[in-house]
Amino acid sequence: MNREMTSSFLLMTFAICKLIIAVGLNVGPSELLRIGAIDVDGHFTVHPSALASVSSDFGMLRSPEEPLAVLHPSSAEDVARLVRTAYGSATAFPVSARGHGHSINGQAAAGRNGVVVEMNHGVTGTPEPLVRPDEMYVDVWGGELWVDVLKKTLEYGLAPKSWTDYLYLTVGGTLSNAGISGQAFHHGPQISNVLELDVVTGKGEVMRCSEEENTRLFHGVLGGLGQFGIITRARISLEPAPQRVRWIRVLYSSFKVFTEDQEYLISMHGQLKFDYVEGFVIVDEGLVNNWRSSFFSPRNPVKISSVSSNGSVLYCLEITKNYHDSDSETVDQEVDILMKKLNFIPTSVFTTDLQYVDFLDRVHKAELKLRSKNLWEVPHPWLNLFVPKSRISDFDKGVFKGILGNKTSGPILIYPMNKDKWDERSSAVTPDEEVFYLVALLRSALKDGEETQKLEYLKDQNRRILEFCEQAKINVKQYLPHHATQEEWEAHFGDKWDRFRRLKAEFDPRHILATGQRIFQNPSLSLFPPLSSSASW
Ligand code: FAD
């Protein structure tokens, strides 16, 4: 059925279904949708291509499972109408918001009996970002891409403070996790930089929440994996946007020295500090391994291979200093002062200078390059872990120098963050130490690649890494978590589980929302069969 046919069919049947709802007949989701029961200003589609496009994700690890329909909302009220209908229907069918589908394990899926709300590709009517320069914030639609938030705020010389490495992610999608990058050590994750939200709860109510209003919902939704409501608007705090970025990479052969320098850098919060601190592990230099950046280009004066590492693993510290054109003289001095405190391999300094917007949007260039070689739409068995500082060197020995061997099939990021920049009241889960590291194994599986690049090999390696951490009692927490059983979810949330469960009972009592996370079973339908442990990762 094309869109026009769908619309007229919906109109024709609208009166009938209103009657059905009014008299409270017990109709299932498929009946409700077939007769177009829900009156929205946007539109529903059941077109096969639309169903197919929302049934897979960036991870490409699961067999696509098509939902009943896709809603393209044009307002929060459209989302609320759908959720109210789902909540009121006999079988309480699932409704999952989908941002840009960049999840790895089907987290934005709704299952065969559900409806996906396509937040990103809104039809006309979805609100544009609204910048308030006097108040230093921007109001954005939950499905807005961060790259568009950046473009809009830059028109006012402003920008959000905390980022992700990649900007083609949605505001609602990253705020449901945390949203982290090299600025998090100072500004905290993106969820620490939100002033207010509008949320459609699992009962279909549109609720405004903030530090002052509906506080429990506000903190619960941030990092809440979509469990308590669909974010339709977020108010994000802004700062004056820098114009340029000095981007520096230096190498280490000693993990100890590398992490000491990283930890030193994230302890600095005054005027004289780097603005972004990340790092990665270098095992070999293939395109797949270094897709995150074209930084080490052939034009670079120093080849990585010329830096002696005695054949072992190298570590790269990545730092930036933001500045305005008018400060271009002082930036050199500031960088010099800061660099003098670091203990990297002296011949290994790689520097570049670029516009702020080009730095923030750097991963998109890599995406285009990988797409041109058909290396983007491949399975991504990613594993993201928060590792406590006290055990990071055990992790290095056991994983980087142990389980991984000398092939990684993708970049491995490693950088520390300060726990006091995370609001404990949010639903995001981090290790119980003041400093913890993100370790992100961002792997791509290649069908025709070497054995070490095959999906099954990489999934098995992820399993071994998690097993190693468990045996060595390294209390890691998964970021962008994926767990197979209720017990694992309870262990993941730890002290926060009880609150998480209670918020679910209050704001999504029929377990309608974000069922693709597989945290709670839908009480009236067994939508997703429990995973066998071998199916995880
Ligand atoms: P989706 O994958 O579509 O959704 C994710 C979850 O959020 C689902 O459960 C969904 O139901 C829910 N959800 C989506 N929208 C809403 C909403 N409006 N309200 C409530 N719930 C909602 N993350 C980082 O923190 N830092 C990074 O540097 C980073 N880099 C990345 C680079 C790449 C190339 C990729 C593919 C991912 C990266 N991520 C990073 C991970 C990213 O944060 C997650 O994929 C996240 O899920 C956001 O993606 P999305 O907007 O496509 O959301």
Side-chain angles (χ1 to χ4, degrees):
M1 215 187 294
N2 64 28
R3 190 177 151 190
E4 288 69 35
M5 286 168 71
T6 309
S7 310
S8 50
F9 188 58
L10 291 177
L11 278 175
M12 225 171 49
T13 55
F14 179 51
I16 305 168
C17 61
K18 271 205 160 163
L19 181 69
I20 291 172
I21 291 172
V23 297
L25 292 180
N26 273 357
V27 288
S30 36
E31 290 90 334
L32 271 175
L33 287 161
R34 208 172 299 130
I35 56 177
I38 308 156
D39 178 25
V40 290
D41 297 325
H43 68 273
F44 283 99
T45 174
V46 290
H47 195 281
S49 67
L51 299 184
S53 91
V54 299
S55 57
S56 184
D57 61 22
F58 182 77
M60 288 175 64
L61 300 182
R62 291 174 179 279
S63 330
E65 203 176 44
E66 293 188 356
L68 283 174
V70 179
L71 170 63
H72 296 269
S74 68
S75 64
E77 191 47 41
D78 276 0
V79 179
R81 283 182 192 137
L82 168 65
V83 177
R84 276 200 293 270
T85 308
Y87 179 64
S89 107
T91 45
F93 60 88
V95 176
S96 282
R98 178 181 162 99
H100 212 204
H102 279 80
S103 289
I104 298 299
N105 286 288
Q107 284 93 336
R112 273 193 305 276
N113 292 313
V115 179
V116 168
V117 184
E118 183 75 284
M119 294 297 288
N120 180 224
H121 302 289
V123 292
T124 320
T126 323
E128 289 290 310
L130 188 68
V131 182
R132 286 291 303 269
D134 48 337
E135 308 264 357
M136 298 293 274
Y137 68 68
V138 58
D139 276 329
V140 293
W141 170 246
E144 200 71 52
L145 290 179
W146 281 100
V147 68
D148 295 325
V149 179
L150 176 63
K151 282 181 196 156
K152 192 65 183 182
T153 55
L154 282 179
E155 288 174 16
Y156 297 80
L158 300 173
K161 302 167 189 169
S162 185
W163 291 99
T164 47
D165 292 351
Y166 176 62
L167 304 186
Y168 289 72
L169 304 169
T170 64
V171 169
T174 69
L175 295 186
S176 298
N177 286 289
I180 50 172
S181 183
Q183 304 85 7
F185 80 92
H186 181 64
H187 289 295
Q190 290 180 323
I191 54 171
S192 296
N193 293 277
V194 178
L195 304 173
E196 189 178 275
L197 297 171
D198 282 346
V199 167
V200 176
T201 69
K203 295 178 183 169
E205 299 159 317
V206 185
M207 288 180 78
R208 182 150 297 175
C209 57
S210 67
E211 193 66 69
E212 286 82 35
E213 195 180 354
N214 297 313
T215 316
R216 282 179 318 107
L217 179 64
F218 179 65
H219 293 297
V221 165
L222 295 170
L225 306 176
Q227 295 305 301
F228 315 122
I230 296 180
I231 300 167
T232 51
R233 181 186 61 95
R235 177 166 292 177
I236 293 153
S237 170
L238 302 175
E239 65 178 2
Q243 287 168 322
R244 296 197 67 80
V245 171
R246 182 68 50 82
W247 183 10
I248 300 155
R249 288 177 172 179
V250 291
L251 300 180
Y252 296 76
S253 53
S254 158
F255 186 71
K256 184 165 177 292
V257 180
F258 167 69
T259 48
E260 276 170 4
D261 276 2
Q262 279 195 324
E263 286 165 24
Y264 165 70
L265 290 171
I266 69 153
S267 72
M268 301 173 86
H269 295 288
Q271 191 61 30
L272 188 64
K273 65 168 185 319
F274 283 112
D275 296 295
Y276 161 105
V277 179
E278 283 204 10
F280 53 95
V281 182
I282 300 176
V283 174
D284 67 68
E285 275 189 75
L287 172 61
V288 162
N289 286 339
N290 285 318
W291 59 259
R292 267 184 76 255
S293 130
S294 50
F295 193 99
F296 294 118
S297 73
R299 274 175 291 138
N300 228 303
V302 188
K303 289 283 289 172
I304 299 179
S305 48
S306 70
V307 178
S308 164
S309 66
N310 301 323
S312 72
V313 180
L314 281 173
Y315 306 95
C316 179
L317 171 68
E318 180 173 68
I319 42 194
T320 70
K321 184 82 193 148
N322 300 336
Y323 66 100
H324 283 79
D325 286 333
S326 55
D327 305 329
S328 56
E329 279 170 21
T330 49
V331 74
D332 291 335
Q333 293 160 12
E334 287 178 2
V335 166
D336 276 355
I337 296 170
L338 288 165
M339 296 288 281
K340 283 211 173 80
K341 302 263 170 74
L342 304 178
N343 297 299
F344 49 87
I345 300 170
T347 55
S348 72
V349 184
F350 303 77
T351 303
T352 191
D353 201 283
L354 69 177
Q355 301 257 357
Y356 187 56
V357 59
D358 293 333
F359 171 72
L360 290 181
D361 201 21
R362 62 203 178 280
V363 173
H364 187 52
K365 289 203 183 77
E367 172 185 353
L368 297 177
K369 201 153 89 182
L370 286 183
R371 277 190 187 282
S372 73
K373 295 183 187 303
N374 291 327
L375 289 172
W376 186 255
E377 284 179 16
V378 297
H380 293 103
W382 285 11
L383 180 62
N384 286 272
L385 299 172
F386 289 144
V387 183
K389 167 189 152 173
S390 65
R391 303 301 305 277
I392 194 69
S393 87
D394 297 322
F395 190 92
D396 171 55
K397 285 184 206 115
V399 178
F400 302 149
K401 298 194 176 106
I403 294 171
L404 289 185
N406 60 359
K407 296 276 177 208
T408 63
S409 201
I412 304 174
L413 311 188
I414 171 169
Y415 57 90
M417 281 167 281
N418 297 302
K419 192 176 171 91
D420 66 357
K421 298 286 178 182
W422 294 62
D423 193 323
E424 260 310 285
R425 295 168 298 174
S426 81
S427 296
V429 176
T430 59
D432 205 8
E433 278 188 22
E434 282 314 302
V435 170
F436 59 88
Y437 280 78
L438 169 76
V439 176
L441 298 123
L442 309 180
R443 283 99 77 78
S444 305
L446 304 180
K447 233 204 230 136
D448 305 318
E450 296 170 24
E451 192 51 31
T452 53
Q453 294 176 315
K454 297 250 163 77
L455 181 59
E456 285 313 311
Y457 181 92
L458 294 170
K459 282 189 350 191
D460 187 58
Q461 220 173 39
N462 286 340
R463 188 189 52 71
R464 285 169 56 211
I465 293 168
L466 291 171
E467 219 169 76
F468 161 77
C469 292
E470 199 169 315
Q471 277 164 12
K473 297 200 167 22
I474 303 177
N475 288 326
V476 296
K477 294 289 181 190
Q478 284 188 33
Y479 177 55
L480 314 170
H482 169 63
H483 293 291
T485 65
Q486 186 81 31
E487 294 72 43
E488 284 175 12
W489 278 114
E490 288 186 33
H492 171 79
F493 282 105
D495 291 349
K496 290 192 175 181
W497 173 248
D498 197 42
R499 191 184 60 190
F500 199 81
R501 208 173 41 81
R502 278 189 283 116
L503 285 172
K504 186 71 174 178
E506 185 175 348
F507 293 109
D508 182 21
R510 298 199 73 188
H511 299 184
I512 287 169
L513 301 176
T515 49
Q517 297 276 3
R518 298 172 181 235
I519 304 173
F520 299 97
Q521 286 287 314
N522 181 306
S524 44
L525 274 180
S526 190
L527 294 159
F528 293 107
L531 295 173
S532 67
S533 51
S534 63
S536 63
W537 293 110

